[in-house]
Each structure stands twice: as C-alpha cells, then as structure tokens.
Short mmCIF file of all heavy atoms in Angstrom, two decimals:
data_model
loop_
_atom_site.label_atom_id
_atom_site.label_comp_id
_atom_site.label_asym_id
_atom_site.label_seq_id
_atom_site.Cartn_x
_atom_site.Cartn_y
_atom_site.Cartn_z
N MET N 689 0.85 -1.21 0.00
CA MET N 689 0.00 0.00 0.00
C MET N 689 0.88 1.25 0.00
O MET N 689 1.99 1.24 0.50
CB MET N 689 -0.92 -0.01 1.22
CG MET N 689 -2.08 -0.98 1.06
SD MET N 689 -3.25 -0.91 2.40
CE MET N 689 -2.34 -1.80 3.66
N SER N 690 0.38 2.29 -0.55
CA SER N 690 1.19 3.48 -0.76
C SER N 690 0.83 4.60 0.20
O SER N 690 -0.31 4.72 0.66
CB SER N 690 1.02 3.99 -2.19
OG SER N 690 1.34 2.98 -3.11
N VAL N 691 1.82 5.41 0.48
CA VAL N 691 1.62 6.60 1.29
C VAL N 691 1.22 7.75 0.36
O VAL N 691 1.77 7.89 -0.73
CB VAL N 691 2.91 6.97 2.05
CG1 VAL N 691 2.74 8.29 2.79
CG2 VAL N 691 3.28 5.85 3.01
N TYR N 692 0.26 8.55 0.79
CA TYR N 692 -0.14 9.72 0.01
C TYR N 692 0.10 10.96 0.85
O TYR N 692 -0.17 10.96 2.05
CB TYR N 692 -1.61 9.62 -0.39
CG TYR N 692 -1.84 8.76 -1.61
CD1 TYR N 692 -1.73 7.38 -1.54
CD2 TYR N 692 -2.17 9.33 -2.84
CE1 TYR N 692 -1.93 6.59 -2.65
CE2 TYR N 692 -2.38 8.54 -3.97
CZ TYR N 692 -2.26 7.18 -3.86
OH TYR N 692 -2.46 6.39 -4.98
N ALA N 693 0.57 12.00 0.22
CA ALA N 693 0.86 13.23 0.95
C ALA N 693 -0.05 14.36 0.49
O ALA N 693 -0.35 14.50 -0.69
CB ALA N 693 2.32 13.63 0.74
N CYS N 694 -0.48 15.15 1.46
CA CYS N 694 -1.32 16.32 1.17
C CYS N 694 -0.43 17.40 0.56
O CYS N 694 0.59 17.77 1.13
CB CYS N 694 -1.95 16.81 2.46
SG CYS N 694 -2.88 18.34 2.27
N GLU N 695 -0.83 17.88 -0.60
CA GLU N 695 -0.01 18.90 -1.26
C GLU N 695 -0.19 20.26 -0.61
O GLU N 695 0.57 21.18 -0.85
CB GLU N 695 -0.40 18.99 -2.74
CG GLU N 695 -0.06 17.74 -3.51
CD GLU N 695 -0.28 17.95 -5.01
OE1 GLU N 695 -1.43 18.20 -5.40
OE2 GLU N 695 0.70 17.85 -5.76
N VAL N 696 -1.20 20.39 0.22
CA VAL N 696 -1.47 21.68 0.85
C VAL N 696 -0.64 21.87 2.12
O VAL N 696 0.03 22.88 2.30
CB VAL N 696 -2.97 21.83 1.18
CG1 VAL N 696 -3.25 23.15 1.87
CG2 VAL N 696 -3.80 21.69 -0.09
N CYS N 697 -0.65 20.84 3.00
CA CYS N 697 0.02 21.02 4.28
C CYS N 697 1.15 20.02 4.53
O CYS N 697 1.89 20.15 5.48
CB CYS N 697 -1.00 20.94 5.42
SG CYS N 697 -1.61 19.27 5.71
N GLY N 698 1.26 19.02 3.67
CA GLY N 698 2.35 18.08 3.82
C GLY N 698 2.00 16.87 4.68
O GLY N 698 2.85 15.99 4.89
N TYR N 699 0.77 16.80 5.16
CA TYR N 699 0.35 15.62 5.94
C TYR N 699 0.49 14.37 5.08
O TYR N 699 0.18 14.39 3.89
CB TYR N 699 -1.10 15.80 6.38
CG TYR N 699 -1.75 14.55 6.92
CD1 TYR N 699 -1.60 14.19 8.25
CD2 TYR N 699 -2.53 13.73 6.08
CE1 TYR N 699 -2.21 13.04 8.74
CE2 TYR N 699 -3.14 12.58 6.57
CZ TYR N 699 -2.97 12.24 7.90
OH TYR N 699 -3.56 11.10 8.37
N GLU N 700 0.96 13.29 5.70
CA GLU N 700 1.08 12.04 4.98
C GLU N 700 0.08 11.03 5.50
O GLU N 700 0.06 10.74 6.70
CB GLU N 700 2.50 11.48 5.12
CG GLU N 700 3.52 12.29 4.32
CD GLU N 700 4.90 11.65 4.35
OE1 GLU N 700 5.13 10.76 5.19
OE2 GLU N 700 5.75 12.05 3.54
N TYR N 701 -0.74 10.50 4.61
CA TYR N 701 -1.66 9.44 4.99
C TYR N 701 -0.95 8.11 4.85
O TYR N 701 -0.51 7.74 3.76
CB TYR N 701 -2.92 9.44 4.12
CG TYR N 701 -3.80 8.25 4.47
CD1 TYR N 701 -4.57 8.27 5.63
CD2 TYR N 701 -3.79 7.09 3.71
CE1 TYR N 701 -5.32 7.17 6.00
CE2 TYR N 701 -4.54 5.98 4.07
CZ TYR N 701 -5.31 6.04 5.22
OH TYR N 701 -6.04 4.94 5.59
N ARG N 702 -0.84 7.40 5.98
CA ARG N 702 -0.18 6.10 5.97
C ARG N 702 -1.22 5.01 6.22
O ARG N 702 -1.84 4.97 7.27
CB ARG N 702 0.89 6.04 7.06
CG ARG N 702 1.99 7.06 6.81
CD ARG N 702 3.12 6.97 7.82
NE ARG N 702 4.21 7.85 7.40
CZ ARG N 702 5.12 7.51 6.47
NH1 ARG N 702 5.09 6.30 5.95
NH2 ARG N 702 6.04 8.36 6.12
N PRO N 703 -1.40 4.12 5.23
CA PRO N 703 -2.42 3.06 5.34
C PRO N 703 -2.27 2.22 6.60
O PRO N 703 -3.26 1.82 7.20
CB PRO N 703 -2.18 2.21 4.09
CG PRO N 703 -1.52 3.15 3.12
CD PRO N 703 -0.69 4.08 3.95
N GLU N 704 -1.04 1.98 7.02
CA GLU N 704 -0.84 1.13 8.20
C GLU N 704 -1.28 1.83 9.48
O GLU N 704 -1.52 1.19 10.49
CB GLU N 704 0.62 0.68 8.32
CG GLU N 704 1.61 1.83 8.48
CD GLU N 704 2.19 2.29 7.16
OE1 GLU N 704 1.48 2.19 6.13
OE2 GLU N 704 3.33 2.75 7.16
N ALA N 705 -1.42 3.13 9.44
CA ALA N 705 -1.85 3.88 10.61
C ALA N 705 -3.32 4.24 10.53
O ALA N 705 -4.00 4.40 11.55
CB ALA N 705 -1.01 5.14 10.77
N GLY N 706 -3.84 4.39 9.31
CA GLY N 706 -5.23 4.80 9.16
C GLY N 706 -5.43 6.22 9.65
O GLY N 706 -4.49 7.00 9.78
N ASP N 707 -6.68 6.55 9.94
CA ASP N 707 -7.01 7.89 10.43
C ASP N 707 -8.09 7.75 11.50
O ASP N 707 -9.27 7.90 11.23
CB ASP N 707 -7.50 8.76 9.27
CG ASP N 707 -7.88 10.16 9.74
OD1 ASP N 707 -7.50 10.53 10.87
OD2 ASP N 707 -8.55 10.87 8.99
N PRO N 708 -7.65 7.42 12.74
CA PRO N 708 -8.58 7.12 13.82
C PRO N 708 -9.59 8.24 14.07
O PRO N 708 -10.74 7.99 14.43
CB PRO N 708 -7.66 6.96 15.05
CG PRO N 708 -6.33 6.60 14.48
CD PRO N 708 -6.24 7.30 13.14
N GLU N 709 -9.18 9.47 13.87
CA GLU N 709 -10.09 10.60 14.12
C GLU N 709 -11.27 10.60 13.17
O GLU N 709 -12.30 11.21 13.43
CB GLU N 709 -9.32 11.92 14.00
CG GLU N 709 -8.37 12.14 15.17
CD GLU N 709 -7.67 13.50 15.07
OE1 GLU N 709 -8.27 14.46 14.58
OE2 GLU N 709 -6.51 13.57 15.48
N HIS N 710 -11.11 9.96 12.02
CA HIS N 710 -12.19 9.92 11.05
C HIS N 710 -12.74 8.50 10.86
O HIS N 710 -13.33 8.19 9.83
CB HIS N 710 -11.72 10.48 9.70
CG HIS N 710 -11.44 11.96 9.75
ND1 HIS N 710 -10.23 12.48 10.11
CD2 HIS N 710 -12.26 13.03 9.50
CE1 HIS N 710 -10.30 13.81 10.07
NE2 HIS N 710 -11.51 14.17 9.72
N ASP N 711 -12.51 7.66 11.89
CA ASP N 711 -13.02 6.29 11.84
C ASP N 711 -12.46 5.49 10.68
O ASP N 711 -13.13 4.61 10.15
CB ASP N 711 -14.56 6.30 11.75
CG ASP N 711 -15.16 6.39 13.15
OD1 ASP N 711 -14.45 6.06 14.12
OD2 ASP N 711 -16.33 6.80 13.27
N ILE N 712 -11.24 5.83 10.27
CA ILE N 712 -10.58 5.04 9.23
C ILE N 712 -9.69 4.01 9.92
O ILE N 712 -8.78 4.35 10.66
CB ILE N 712 -9.72 5.94 8.31
CG1 ILE N 712 -10.57 7.07 7.72
CG2 ILE N 712 -9.07 5.10 7.22
CD1 ILE N 712 -11.73 6.60 6.86
N GLU N 713 -10.00 2.75 9.67
CA GLU N 713 -9.27 1.68 10.34
C GLU N 713 -7.85 1.55 9.81
O GLU N 713 -7.56 1.89 8.66
CB GLU N 713 -9.99 0.35 10.11
CG GLU N 713 -11.28 0.23 10.89
CD GLU N 713 -11.88 -1.16 10.69
OE1 GLU N 713 -11.12 -2.15 10.61
OE2 GLU N 713 -13.10 -1.25 10.61
N GLU N 714 -6.99 1.01 10.67
CA GLU N 714 -5.63 0.72 10.23
C GLU N 714 -5.69 -0.25 9.06
O GLU N 714 -6.51 -1.15 9.05
CB GLU N 714 -4.85 0.07 11.38
CG GLU N 714 -4.71 0.96 12.59
CD GLU N 714 -4.11 0.20 13.77
OE1 GLU N 714 -3.56 -0.89 13.55
OE2 GLU N 714 -4.20 0.71 14.90
N GLY N 715 -4.81 -0.06 8.10
CA GLY N 715 -4.76 -0.97 6.96
C GLY N 715 -5.66 -0.54 5.81
O GLY N 715 -5.79 -1.27 4.84
N THR N 716 -6.30 0.62 5.94
CA THR N 716 -7.15 1.11 4.85
C THR N 716 -6.29 1.86 3.84
O THR N 716 -5.63 2.83 4.18
CB THR N 716 -8.23 2.07 5.40
OG1 THR N 716 -8.99 1.40 6.39
CG2 THR N 716 -9.15 2.54 4.28
N SER N 717 -6.29 1.38 2.61
CA SER N 717 -5.48 2.04 1.59
C SER N 717 -6.13 3.37 1.21
O SER N 717 -7.33 3.58 1.40
CB SER N 717 -5.34 1.15 0.36
OG SER N 717 -6.58 1.06 -0.32
N PHE N 718 -5.32 4.27 0.67
CA PHE N 718 -5.84 5.59 0.30
C PHE N 718 -7.00 5.47 -0.69
O PHE N 718 -7.98 6.20 -0.60
CB PHE N 718 -4.70 6.43 -0.30
CG PHE N 718 -5.11 7.84 -0.60
CD1 PHE N 718 -5.11 8.80 0.42
CD2 PHE N 718 -5.50 8.22 -1.87
CE1 PHE N 718 -5.50 10.11 0.15
CE2 PHE N 718 -5.87 9.54 -2.15
CZ PHE N 718 -5.87 10.47 -1.13
N GLU N 719 -6.87 4.52 -1.60
CA GLU N 719 -7.92 4.33 -2.60
C GLU N 719 -9.25 3.93 -1.98
O GLU N 719 -10.31 4.20 -2.53
CB GLU N 719 -7.48 3.26 -3.61
CG GLU N 719 -6.35 3.70 -4.53
CD GLU N 719 -4.97 3.47 -3.91
OE1 GLU N 719 -4.89 3.13 -2.71
OE2 GLU N 719 -3.98 3.63 -4.64
N ASP N 720 -9.17 3.30 -0.80
CA ASP N 720 -10.39 2.82 -0.16
C ASP N 720 -11.00 3.84 0.79
O ASP N 720 -12.04 3.59 1.40
CB ASP N 720 -10.10 1.53 0.61
CG ASP N 720 -9.89 0.35 -0.35
OD1 ASP N 720 -10.35 0.44 -1.50
OD2 ASP N 720 -9.27 -0.64 0.07
N LEU N 721 -10.36 4.99 0.93
CA LEU N 721 -10.95 6.03 1.77
C LEU N 721 -12.24 6.53 1.13
O LEU N 721 -12.36 6.56 -0.09
CB LEU N 721 -9.97 7.20 1.92
CG LEU N 721 -8.70 6.93 2.72
CD1 LEU N 721 -7.76 8.14 2.60
CD2 LEU N 721 -9.02 6.67 4.17
N PRO N 722 -13.22 6.91 1.96
CA PRO N 722 -14.45 7.46 1.40
C PRO N 722 -14.17 8.71 0.57
O PRO N 722 -13.21 9.43 0.83
CB PRO N 722 -15.30 7.80 2.63
CG PRO N 722 -14.44 7.60 3.82
CD PRO N 722 -13.22 6.85 3.42
N ALA N 723 -15.00 8.93 -0.44
CA ALA N 723 -14.78 10.07 -1.35
C ALA N 723 -14.83 11.39 -0.61
O ALA N 723 -14.23 12.38 -1.05
CB ALA N 723 -15.82 10.05 -2.46
N ASP N 724 -15.53 11.40 0.52
CA ASP N 724 -15.65 12.68 1.24
C ASP N 724 -14.61 12.81 2.35
O ASP N 724 -14.68 13.71 3.17
CB ASP N 724 -17.06 12.83 1.80
CG ASP N 724 -17.41 11.70 2.77
OD1 ASP N 724 -16.61 10.75 2.92
OD2 ASP N 724 -18.48 11.79 3.40
N TRP N 725 -13.64 11.89 2.36
CA TRP N 725 -12.57 12.00 3.35
C TRP N 725 -11.73 13.24 3.04
O TRP N 725 -11.48 13.56 1.89
CB TRP N 725 -11.70 10.74 3.30
CG TRP N 725 -10.58 10.74 4.30
CD1 TRP N 725 -10.66 10.35 5.60
CD2 TRP N 725 -9.22 11.16 4.09
NE1 TRP N 725 -9.43 10.49 6.20
CE2 TRP N 725 -8.53 10.98 5.32
CE3 TRP N 725 -8.52 11.66 3.00
CZ2 TRP N 725 -7.18 11.29 5.47
CZ3 TRP N 725 -7.18 11.98 3.15
CH2 TRP N 725 -6.52 11.79 4.38
N VAL N 726 -11.33 13.93 4.09
CA VAL N 726 -10.50 15.12 3.89
C VAL N 726 -9.27 15.05 4.78
O VAL N 726 -9.23 14.29 5.76
CB VAL N 726 -11.27 16.42 4.20
CG1 VAL N 726 -12.43 16.60 3.23
CG2 VAL N 726 -11.77 16.44 5.65
N CYS N 727 -8.28 15.84 4.47
CA CYS N 727 -7.06 15.90 5.24
C CYS N 727 -7.37 16.28 6.68
O CYS N 727 -8.04 17.27 6.93
CB CYS N 727 -6.11 16.92 4.61
SG CYS N 727 -4.61 17.18 5.57
N PRO N 728 -6.89 15.48 7.64
CA PRO N 728 -7.16 15.75 9.06
C PRO N 728 -6.58 17.07 9.53
O PRO N 728 -7.04 17.64 10.51
CB PRO N 728 -6.48 14.59 9.80
CG PRO N 728 -6.21 13.56 8.76
CD PRO N 728 -6.07 14.28 7.46
N LEU N 729 -5.57 17.54 8.85
CA LEU N 729 -4.90 18.76 9.30
C LEU N 729 -5.48 20.02 8.67
O LEU N 729 -5.73 21.01 9.35
CB LEU N 729 -3.40 18.69 8.99
CG LEU N 729 -2.61 17.60 9.74
CD1 LEU N 729 -1.13 17.76 9.45
CD2 LEU N 729 -2.87 17.66 11.24
N CYS N 730 -5.69 20.01 7.36
CA CYS N 730 -6.09 21.25 6.70
C CYS N 730 -7.43 21.14 5.99
O CYS N 730 -7.95 22.14 5.50
CB CYS N 730 -5.01 21.69 5.71
SG CYS N 730 -4.89 20.64 4.26
N GLY N 731 -8.00 19.94 5.92
CA GLY N 731 -9.32 19.80 5.32
C GLY N 731 -9.31 19.71 3.80
O GLY N 731 -10.35 19.79 3.17
N ALA N 732 -8.13 19.52 3.22
CA ALA N 732 -8.06 19.38 1.77
C ALA N 732 -8.71 18.07 1.35
O ALA N 732 -8.69 17.08 2.09
CB ALA N 732 -6.60 19.42 1.31
N SER N 733 -9.27 18.03 0.16
CA SER N 733 -9.93 16.82 -0.32
C SER N 733 -8.90 15.82 -0.85
O SER N 733 -7.72 16.14 -1.00
CB SER N 733 -10.93 17.16 -1.43
OG SER N 733 -10.22 17.59 -2.58
N LYS N 734 -9.37 14.60 -1.13
CA LYS N 734 -8.47 13.55 -1.63
C LYS N 734 -7.78 13.99 -2.91
O LYS N 734 -6.68 13.55 -3.20
CB LYS N 734 -9.27 12.27 -1.90
CG LYS N 734 -9.71 11.57 -0.63
CD LYS N 734 -10.51 10.30 -0.96
CE LYS N 734 -9.60 9.21 -1.55
NZ LYS N 734 -10.35 7.96 -1.79
N GLU N 735 -8.42 14.85 -3.67
CA GLU N 735 -7.83 15.29 -4.94
C GLU N 735 -6.55 16.09 -4.73
O GLU N 735 -5.77 16.27 -5.65
CB GLU N 735 -8.85 16.12 -5.72
CG GLU N 735 -10.04 15.29 -6.18
CD GLU N 735 -11.07 16.14 -6.89
OE1 GLU N 735 -10.83 17.34 -7.07
OE2 GLU N 735 -12.12 15.59 -7.26
N ASP N 736 -6.39 16.60 -3.52
CA ASP N 736 -5.20 17.40 -3.23
C ASP N 736 -4.05 16.55 -2.72
O ASP N 736 -3.02 17.07 -2.31
CB ASP N 736 -5.53 18.49 -2.21
CG ASP N 736 -6.44 19.54 -2.82
OD1 ASP N 736 -6.19 19.96 -3.96
OD2 ASP N 736 -7.41 19.94 -2.15
N PHE N 737 -4.25 15.25 -2.70
CA PHE N 737 -3.19 14.35 -2.24
C PHE N 737 -2.44 13.76 -3.43
O PHE N 737 -3.01 13.53 -4.49
CB PHE N 737 -3.78 13.21 -1.40
CG PHE N 737 -4.02 13.62 0.03
CD1 PHE N 737 -5.00 14.54 0.36
CD2 PHE N 737 -3.26 13.07 1.05
CE1 PHE N 737 -5.21 14.92 1.69
CE2 PHE N 737 -3.47 13.43 2.38
CZ PHE N 737 -4.44 14.36 2.70
N GLU N 738 -1.17 13.53 -3.22
CA GLU N 738 -0.36 12.94 -4.28
C GLU N 738 0.39 11.74 -3.71
O GLU N 738 0.88 11.77 -2.59
CB GLU N 738 0.63 13.98 -4.79
CG GLU N 738 1.27 13.57 -6.10
CD GLU N 738 1.84 14.77 -6.84
OE1 GLU N 738 2.92 15.20 -6.44
OE2 GLU N 738 1.20 15.26 -7.80
N LYS N 739 0.49 10.72 -4.53
CA LYS N 739 1.17 9.50 -4.11
C LYS N 739 2.64 9.77 -3.84
O LYS N 739 3.30 10.47 -4.61
CB LYS N 739 1.03 8.45 -5.20
CG LYS N 739 1.56 7.09 -4.82
CD LYS N 739 1.26 6.11 -5.95
CE LYS N 739 1.73 4.72 -5.60
NZ LYS N 739 1.40 3.75 -6.67
N VAL N 740 3.12 9.24 -2.74
CA VAL N 740 4.53 9.38 -2.40
C VAL N 740 5.28 8.16 -2.88
O VAL N 740 4.96 7.04 -2.49
CB VAL N 740 4.72 9.53 -0.87
CG1 VAL N 740 6.20 9.59 -0.52
CG2 VAL N 740 3.99 10.77 -0.38
N GLU N 741 6.24 8.39 -3.74
CA GLU N 741 7.05 7.28 -4.22
C GLU N 741 8.11 6.96 -3.19
O GLU N 741 8.92 7.81 -2.85
CB GLU N 741 7.70 7.65 -5.56
CG GLU N 741 6.69 7.97 -6.65
CD GLU N 741 5.87 6.76 -7.06
OE1 GLU N 741 6.28 5.63 -6.73
OE2 GLU N 741 4.83 6.95 -7.69
N GLU N 742 8.10 5.76 -2.70
CA GLU N 742 9.08 5.38 -1.70
C GLU N 742 10.25 4.67 -2.37
O GLU N 742 10.05 3.79 -3.19
CB GLU N 742 8.44 4.48 -0.66
CG GLU N 742 7.31 5.19 0.07
CD GLU N 742 6.71 4.29 1.12
OE1 GLU N 742 7.34 4.13 2.17
OE2 GLU N 742 5.63 3.76 0.90
N ASP N 743 11.43 5.06 -2.00
CA ASP N 743 12.60 4.43 -2.60
C ASP N 743 13.02 3.24 -1.76
O ASP N 743 13.21 3.33 -0.57
CB ASP N 743 13.75 5.43 -2.77
CG ASP N 743 13.95 6.31 -1.56
OD1 ASP N 743 13.35 5.97 -0.49
OD2 ASP N 743 14.66 7.27 -1.63
N GLY N 744 13.15 2.12 -2.41
CA GLY N 744 13.50 0.91 -1.68
C GLY N 744 12.24 0.19 -1.24
O GLY N 744 11.24 0.80 -0.93
N GLU N 745 12.32 -1.12 -1.23
CA GLU N 745 11.15 -1.90 -0.86
C GLU N 745 11.01 -2.04 0.64
O GLU N 745 9.93 -2.17 1.17
CB GLU N 745 11.23 -3.28 -1.51
CG GLU N 745 11.17 -3.18 -3.04
CD GLU N 745 11.30 -4.54 -3.69
OE1 GLU N 745 11.59 -5.51 -2.97
OE2 GLU N 745 11.12 -4.62 -4.91
N GLU N 746 12.12 -1.98 1.34
CA GLU N 746 12.07 -2.12 2.78
C GLU N 746 12.77 -0.94 3.43
O GLU N 746 13.78 -0.46 2.94
CB GLU N 746 12.74 -3.42 3.21
CG GLU N 746 12.17 -4.64 2.50
CD GLU N 746 12.02 -5.81 3.46
OE1 GLU N 746 12.74 -5.86 4.45
OE2 GLU N 746 11.15 -6.66 3.19
N GLU N 747 12.21 -0.50 4.53
CA GLU N 747 12.85 0.61 5.22
C GLU N 747 14.08 0.12 5.97
O GLU N 747 14.09 -0.95 6.55
CB GLU N 747 11.87 1.24 6.22
CG GLU N 747 10.89 2.16 5.52
CD GLU N 747 10.09 2.93 6.55
OE1 GLU N 747 10.63 3.22 7.62
OE2 GLU N 747 8.92 3.22 6.27
N SER N 748 15.09 0.92 5.93
CA SER N 748 16.32 0.58 6.63
C SER N 748 16.70 1.71 7.57
O SER N 748 16.73 2.86 7.17
CB SER N 748 17.44 0.34 5.62
OG SER N 748 18.66 0.14 6.29
N ASP N 749 16.94 1.35 8.79
CA ASP N 749 17.26 2.38 9.78
C ASP N 749 18.75 2.53 10.00
O ASP N 749 19.20 3.40 10.72
CB ASP N 749 16.58 2.07 11.11
CG ASP N 749 15.08 2.29 11.03
OD1 ASP N 749 14.65 3.21 10.32
OD2 ASP N 749 14.36 1.55 11.69
N ASP N 750 19.52 1.68 9.37
CA ASP N 750 20.96 1.80 9.59
C ASP N 750 21.64 2.61 8.50
O ASP N 750 22.75 2.37 8.12
CB ASP N 750 21.63 0.43 9.77
CG ASP N 750 20.95 -0.66 9.00
OD1 ASP N 750 19.82 -0.39 8.54
OD2 ASP N 750 21.49 -1.73 8.84
N ASP N 751 20.92 3.56 7.96
CA ASP N 751 21.49 4.43 6.94
C ASP N 751 21.88 5.75 7.60
O ASP N 751 21.18 6.72 7.58
CB ASP N 751 20.45 4.66 5.85
CG ASP N 751 21.01 5.55 4.74
OD1 ASP N 751 22.18 5.38 4.41
OD2 ASP N 751 20.25 6.39 4.25
N MET N 752 23.03 5.72 8.23
CA MET N 752 23.44 6.89 9.01
C MET N 752 24.13 7.94 8.13
O MET N 752 25.07 7.63 7.45
CB MET N 752 24.42 6.47 10.11
CG MET N 752 23.79 5.49 11.06
SD MET N 752 22.59 6.22 12.14
CE MET N 752 23.70 6.85 13.42
ZN1 ZN U 669 -3.51 18.85 4.42
#
C-alpha cells in the first residue's frame, strides 16, 4: 500500500496507521478512503493528495 501526501500542508496518509479521528481503520489504503474524506490537518480533499514514491522496498534504519 502506498503513502499519500497532502499537497497543501504536507500531511502524509499512511495506510498502516489509518485515520482514527475519522473512523478510518488501520490498513485502509488511500484508494479505499471514502470520497468525502479530507485531510485531518487542513481539510483538503483527496484530490489534493499525491502519491509518495518510496525508494527501496524495505525501510532501513541503519542508513546513518
Ligand atoms: Zn492537508
């Protein structure tokens, strides 16, 4: 699942975290969010979000 970022305020929607304040369960992909879902921070609509391309398939924390 992909992370999407709000182009207005920079908020990142992470599927693994969901959006508890809006009753979005953990594991809900951005595509599965209701059409009327808006950015929790600034209220921007889904159309204002852009997919974040993640480099690398796995996160590595030992990249100092
Ligand atoms: Zn926002």
